[in-house]
Amino acid sequence: MAYLFTSESVSEGHPDKVADQISDALIDNFLAFDPQSKVACETLVTTGQVFLAGEVKSNVYLDVQKIARGVINAIGYTKSEYQFDGNSCGIISAIHEQSDDINRGVDRDIKEEQGAGDQGIMFGFACNETDVLMPAPIHYSHAILRSLAEARHGDANSGLGPDSKSQVTLRYVDNKPVSVASVVVSTQHAEEMSQEEIREIVRPHVTKVLPEGWVCPEDEFYVNPTGIFVIGGPDGDAGLTGRKIIVDTYGGAAPHGGGAFSGKDPTKVDRSAAYVARYLAKNVVAAGLADRCTIQLAYAIGVSKPLSFYVNTNGTGKVDEKRLVKMLTEMVDLSPRGIREHLNLSRPIYERTAAYGHFGREPESDGGFSWEKTDLVDGLKAAF
């Protein structure tokens, strides 16, 4: 069976990602000073303006304007011609105290009874298409934009702007990616640069991240298809926290529960349970128990136990799925508190997740991307 499948990514300078990064920077700063902080923060960015809203329960006071400006400047919006820069944009904050009705479901005198911060369903996924056990289209889409961003940050005269998007279409045969059908890259640029100049700047960033021999036909390589992309970022389009949930996860190759991650502290299972579901699925595939694994979790607000735990190896499993469910629930406590403690989530590790995907990243020494560890592999192999 042959088919095409496409995924897209957006850069750190895309307006929705600017919003995500500001929201997650606020989370990090609250957790850095008070690990028990409860935060749900939304950000809206548009021409010359940033609006912050949400609820917080914390023992720390933050200068949210200073944090937001720092994020915007670090992304690269420092020039007045962008009509949005960290030094001069207006910032309005409407962040207020968290509802007691929500908080009572999470804070309990008996720690083991601490419940989920909201109801919802969450999915995790892994497959053996890439070395990081991610679907290939989203993996390569992210890699192209990360490479462009590194070039832009490393050369002030590169002519590249902060806002960019990528899209990779792969050809599959028997459910395995075998070649690239098309690549689309749109990147903000200096006004004096031509479409052909941008095309040749972009080309090496595409070819270096794709497997050897996977370069698409020249007439299927699209760079700035409209011909010009000078007006970009929040001046070109308003941005909002949580609007890029498929970019953040598996590029559409797996189900999504619908909840966004950014702006939510780890008591919110939209975030923490999605992370642990990825962690479990990745370990199943890394252990060689399946080529593909999908996991679903469901929770109710204020309830500590998951309402359901579902494992589907998509017809590629080498072990009994019912036994796999039993083993995984014995290895990891899937209560909201158990997840936070197992993955050590109550720490400032979230701003870095807000661009180029929450999954398929390398675990970091300070605990960042702890859900990408494969430390359950030996135990799973032994059990089966």
Side-chain angles (χ1 to χ4, degrees), residues 64-78:
V64 296
Q65 285 207 17
K66 182 178 179 180
I67 294 166
R69 294 187 192 281
V71 171
I72 295 165
N73 285 331
I75 291 169
Y77 286 114
T78 57

Side-chain angles (χ1 to χ4, degrees), residues 41-339:
C41 179
E42 313 295 336
T43 303
L44 166 68
V45 295
T46 186
T47 305
Q49 296 289 329
V50 177
F51 300 89
L52 307 174
E55 302 79 42
V56 174
K57 184 177 187 295
S58 179
N59 292 321
V60 64
Y61 171 81
L62 297 180
D63 185 343
V64 296
Q65 285 207 17
K66 182 178 179 180
I67 294 166
R69 294 187 192 281
V71 171
I72 295 165
N73 285 331
I75 291 169
Y77 286 114
T78 57
K79 303 176 183 178
S80 59
E81 55 261 39
Y82 290 138
Q83 302 300 313
F84 179 86
D85 72 87
N87 298 316
S88 66
C89 66
I91 299 180
I92 298 172
S93 174
I95 296 174
H96 58 84
E97 189 173 0
Q98 185 185 57
S99 160
D100 288 337
D101 291 348
I102 293 176
N103 183 253
R104 67 166 52 95
V106 179
D107 284 340
R108 300 286 179 86
D109 292 335
I110 302 174
K111 289 185 177 181
E112 288 73 18
E113 294 181 358
Q114 291 177 350
D118 202 352
Q119 71 174 49
I121 58 173
M122 302 85 206
F123 286 92
F125 181 73
C127 63
N128 59 9
E129 293 180 11
T130 60
D131 58 356
V132 293
L133 305 185
M134 284 287 287
I138 188 68
H139 174 69
Y140 297 129
S141 294
H142 287 321
I144 291 167
L145 294 188
R146 280 199 303 269
S147 182
L148 280 169
E150 289 167 4
R152 176 175 61 85
H153 284 296
D155 180 5
N157 297 314
S158 68
L160 298 172
D163 192 359
S164 59
K165 303 176 76 170
S166 65
Q167 185 171 285
V168 174
T169 300
L170 298 186
R171 182 174 290 104
Y172 282 72
V173 176
D174 296 330
N175 292 318
K176 298 290 184 183
V178 296
S179 63
V180 180
S182 66
V183 174
V184 183
V185 178
S186 295
T187 181
Q188 188 178 14
H189 59 87
E191 189 169 5
E192 65 274 11
M193 300 181 74
S194 69
Q195 183 183 24
E196 191 56 39
E197 284 180 281
I198 298 298
R199 185 184 184 88
E200 295 312 310
I201 288 173
V202 167
R203 188 186 298 276
H205 297 283
V206 174
T207 56
K208 83 173 187 179
V209 305
L210 295 175
E212 188 174 356
W214 275 32
V215 177
C216 65
E218 189 65 19
D219 61 353
E220 294 293 338
F221 178 43
Y222 304 94
V223 176
N224 287 3
T226 65
I228 187 169
F229 186 5
V230 173
I231 301 171
D235 185 41
D237 192 10
L240 190 64
T241 301
R243 281 206 302 203
K244 287 292 179 284
I245 58 176
I246 300 302
V247 171
D248 285 344
T249 53
Y250 307 103
H256 194 293
F261 303 156
S262 291
K264 296 174 182 176
D265 74 76
T267 67
K268 312 294 191 298
V269 283
D270 273 343
R271 182 166 221 155
S272 56
Y275 286 174
V276 82
R278 160 64 179 174
Y279 171 67
L280 296 176
K282 184 177 183 180
N283 276 269
V284 168
V285 175
L289 304 183
D291 294 336
R292 301 167 69 86
C293 182
T294 303
I295 288 178
Q296 187 204 57
L297 288 161
Y299 291 86
I301 188 169
V303 178
S304 61
K305 67 174 183 177
L307 303 186
S308 67
F309 178 55
Y310 164 80
V311 177
N312 182 358
T313 54
N314 307 106
T316 69
K318 300 169 180 62
V319 298
D320 180 67
E321 288 177 351
K322 290 182 179 178
R323 189 170 172 219
L324 189 55
V325 168
K326 183 176 185 295
M327 289 307 307
L328 292 173
T329 52
E330 289 176 358
M331 298 175 88
V332 179
D333 177 1
L334 294 175
S335 69
R337 175 175 173 266
I339 295 168

Side-chain angles (χ1 to χ4, degrees), residues 335-377:
S335 69
R337 175 175 173 266
I339 295 168
R340 294 196 302 275
E341 292 183 351
H342 189 95
L343 296 179
N344 204 358
L345 297 179
S346 297
R347 55 170 66 192
I349 55 174
Y350 297 107
E351 183 183 352
R352 70 193 78 170
T353 69
Y356 311 116
H358 292 245
F359 307 129
R361 311 281 285 271
E362 288 296 321
E364 298 178 346
S365 59
D366 67 348
F369 302 101
S370 60
W371 49 93
E372 291 296 314
K373 296 186 296 184
T374 53
D375 53 355
L376 301 181
V377 164

Side-chain angles (χ1 to χ4, degrees), residues 28-37 58-62 348:
D28 280 356
N29 278 271
F30 277 111
L31 292 176
F33 295 100
D34 179 6
Q36 303 306 313
S37 294
S58 179
N59 292 321
V60 64
Y61 171 81
L62 297 180

